[in-house]
Amino acid sequence: MVAFISHTTVDCTDAYALSTWWKVTLGYTDLDDDPNGLGDEECMIRDPKTGHLLLFVETPDAAEAKQRSGKNRIHFDLRPATSSQEQEVEALVARGASVVGDLRGKYGPGTGWVVLADPEGNEFCVLRSEAERAATV
Protein backbone atom coordinates (compact mmCIF):
# COMPACT_ATOMS: atom_id res chain seq x y z
CA MET A 1 0.00 0.00 0.00
CA VAL A 2 1.07 3.54 -0.70
CA ALA A 3 -0.58 6.68 0.65
CA PHE A 4 -0.08 10.36 0.03
CA ILE A 5 -0.51 13.41 2.23
CA SER A 6 -3.77 15.15 1.36
CA HIS A 7 -3.01 18.28 3.35
CA THR A 8 -1.26 19.50 6.48
CA THR A 9 -3.50 20.53 9.39
CA VAL A 10 -2.59 23.13 12.00
CA ASP A 11 -4.68 23.34 15.18
CA CYS A 12 -5.19 26.94 16.26
CA THR A 13 -7.35 29.38 18.19
CA ASP A 14 -8.15 31.72 15.24
CA ALA A 15 -8.23 29.89 11.91
CA TYR A 16 -8.85 32.97 9.79
CA ALA A 17 -6.11 35.12 11.32
CA LEU A 18 -3.50 32.36 11.30
CA SER A 19 -4.33 31.18 7.77
CA THR A 20 -4.08 34.78 6.57
CA TRP A 21 -0.67 35.16 8.24
CA TRP A 22 0.65 31.97 6.66
CA LYS A 23 -0.98 32.80 3.30
CA VAL A 24 1.12 35.97 3.08
CA THR A 25 4.23 34.23 4.45
CA LEU A 26 4.12 31.36 1.94
CA GLY A 27 2.49 33.06 -1.05
CA TYR A 28 -0.48 30.67 -0.82
CA THR A 29 -4.04 31.52 -1.91
CA ASP A 30 -7.58 30.72 -0.79
CA LEU A 31 -9.37 27.91 -2.60
CA ASP A 32 -11.34 29.31 -5.54
CA ASP A 33 -14.55 27.54 -4.52
CA ASP A 34 -14.13 28.02 -0.76
CA PRO A 35 -12.67 31.41 0.19
CA ASN A 36 -11.84 31.97 3.84
CA GLY A 37 -13.78 34.48 5.88
CA LEU A 38 -13.55 36.18 9.25
CA GLY A 39 -15.05 33.85 11.86
CA ASP A 40 -14.55 30.65 9.85
CA GLU A 41 -13.51 27.82 12.16
CA GLU A 42 -11.68 26.01 9.34
CA CYS A 43 -9.61 27.80 6.71
CA MET A 44 -7.69 26.07 3.93
CA ILE A 45 -5.02 27.68 1.75
CA ARG A 46 -3.16 26.32 -1.28
CA ASP A 47 0.24 26.75 -2.88
CA PRO A 48 -0.66 27.97 -6.39
CA LYS A 49 2.43 26.24 -7.85
CA THR A 50 2.48 22.83 -6.15
CA GLY A 51 -1.09 22.51 -4.93
CA HIS A 52 0.04 21.76 -1.35
CA LEU A 53 -2.79 22.44 1.06
CA LEU A 54 -2.67 23.80 4.61
CA LEU A 55 -5.80 23.54 6.76
CA PHE A 56 -6.15 25.66 9.90
CA VAL A 57 -8.72 24.29 12.35
CA GLU A 58 -9.90 25.93 15.56
CA THR A 59 -9.72 23.39 18.38
CA PRO A 60 -10.55 23.72 22.07
CA ASP A 61 -7.13 22.46 23.15
CA ALA A 62 -5.21 24.87 20.87
CA ALA A 63 -5.33 27.63 23.50
CA GLU A 64 -3.77 25.27 26.06
CA ALA A 65 -1.16 24.10 23.57
CA LYS A 66 -0.28 27.73 22.86
CA GLN A 67 0.84 28.05 26.48
CA ARG A 68 3.00 24.93 26.36
CA SER A 69 6.73 24.97 26.54
CA GLY A 70 8.93 22.81 24.40
CA LYS A 71 9.52 22.20 20.73
CA ASN A 72 6.75 21.34 18.26
CA ARG A 73 6.75 17.69 17.26
CA ILE A 74 6.28 18.74 13.62
CA HIS A 75 7.26 22.10 12.17
CA PHE A 76 7.86 23.90 8.89
CA ASP A 77 11.35 24.60 7.56
CA LEU A 78 11.16 27.61 5.24
CA ARG A 79 13.77 28.40 2.61
CA PRO A 80 13.58 31.98 1.24
CA ALA A 81 12.67 31.98 -2.45
CA THR A 82 13.80 35.47 -3.44
CA SER A 83 15.49 37.00 -0.40
CA SER A 84 18.27 36.19 2.03
CA GLN A 85 17.74 34.41 5.32
CA GLU A 86 18.31 37.69 7.17
CA GLN A 87 15.80 39.58 5.02
CA GLU A 88 13.22 36.82 5.44
CA VAL A 89 13.64 36.75 9.23
CA GLU A 90 13.33 40.55 9.43
CA ALA A 91 10.17 40.54 7.28
CA LEU A 92 8.55 37.76 9.32
CA VAL A 93 9.35 39.47 12.63
CA ALA A 94 7.93 42.74 11.26
CA ARG A 95 4.70 40.82 10.48
CA GLY A 96 4.33 39.37 13.98
CA ALA A 97 6.66 36.37 14.26
CA SER A 98 8.98 36.18 17.23
CA VAL A 99 12.53 34.87 17.41
CA VAL A 100 12.83 31.73 19.54
CA GLY A 101 16.43 30.81 18.76
CA ASP A 102 19.22 31.89 16.45
CA LEU A 103 21.37 28.98 15.34
CA ARG A 104 23.13 30.71 12.47
CA GLY A 105 26.78 29.72 12.32
CA LYS A 106 26.27 26.83 14.73
CA TYR A 107 28.04 24.43 12.39
CA GLY A 108 30.54 26.92 10.98
CA PRO A 109 30.42 30.05 8.84
CA GLY A 110 27.39 30.25 6.54
CA THR A 111 25.44 27.47 8.26
CA GLY A 112 22.45 27.20 10.54
CA TRP A 113 18.92 28.50 10.81
CA VAL A 114 16.70 30.79 12.85
CA VAL A 115 13.79 29.41 14.89
CA LEU A 116 10.74 31.66 14.87
CA ALA A 117 7.21 31.36 16.23
CA ASP A 118 4.09 32.45 14.34
CA PRO A 119 1.51 34.69 16.07
CA GLU A 120 0.00 31.66 17.86
CA GLY A 121 3.37 30.34 19.03
CA ASN A 122 3.87 27.55 16.46
CA GLU A 123 7.60 27.25 15.88
CA PHE A 124 9.18 27.08 12.43
CA CYS A 125 12.69 27.49 11.03
CA VAL A 126 14.08 29.84 8.41
CA LEU A 127 16.94 28.26 6.50
CA ARG A 128 19.46 29.91 4.20
CA SER A 129 18.37 30.56 0.62
CA GLU A 130 19.67 28.39 -2.21
CA ALA A 131 21.89 31.31 -3.32
CA GLU A 132 23.38 31.62 0.16
CA ARG A 133 24.00 27.87 0.29
CA ALA A 134 25.69 27.90 -3.12
CA ALA A 135 27.94 30.81 -2.10
CA THR A 136 29.39 28.84 0.83
CA VAL A 137 30.04 25.55 -0.99
Side-chain angles (χ1 to χ4, degrees):
M1 290 185 98
V2 175
F4 66 93
I5 296 173
S6 168
H7 57 274
T8 304
T9 302
V10 177
D11 292 347
C12 59
T13 59
D14 187 337
Y16 179 74
L18 198 58
S19 70
T20 299
W21 193 89
W22 279 103
K23 184 169 41 175
V24 172
T25 298
L26 299 173
Y28 280 36
T29 60
D30 286 343
L31 303 181
D32 293 336
D33 60 344
D34 188 16
N36 299 318
L38 188 61
D40 288 352
E41 294 178 0
E42 294 185 1
C43 295
M44 186 172 280
I45 58 176
R46 173 186 322 140
D47 182 327
K49 294 177 185 168
T50 68
H52 178 254
L53 299 168
L54 281 174
L55 175 63
F56 297 85
V57 179
E58 293 181 9
T59 59
D61 59 340
E64 294 172 22
K66 189 175 174 181
Q67 304 303 319
R68 67 152 172 74
S69 61
K71 189 170 177 9
N72 299 12
R73 292 184 66 186
I74 298 175
H75 68 272
F76 299 131
D77 286 339
L78 307 183
R79 188 171 308 281
T82 59
S83 62
S84 70
Q85 180 183 52
E86 180 65 27
Q87 291 167 323
E88 192 73 19
V89 168
E90 288 175 5
L92 290 165
V93 169
R95 291 191 37 253
S98 55
V99 176
V100 175
D102 190 337
L103 301 167
R104 287 178 280 195
K106 180 175 180 168
Y107 301 104
T111 67
W113 57 92
V114 180
V115 181
L116 299 177
D118 71 17
E120 287 206 8
N122 301 301
E123 293 180 10
F124 61 98
C125 297
V126 178
L127 310 173
R128 294 178 304 130
S129 69
E130 290 294 345
E132 290 172 303
R133 291 180 68 210
T136 58
V137 174

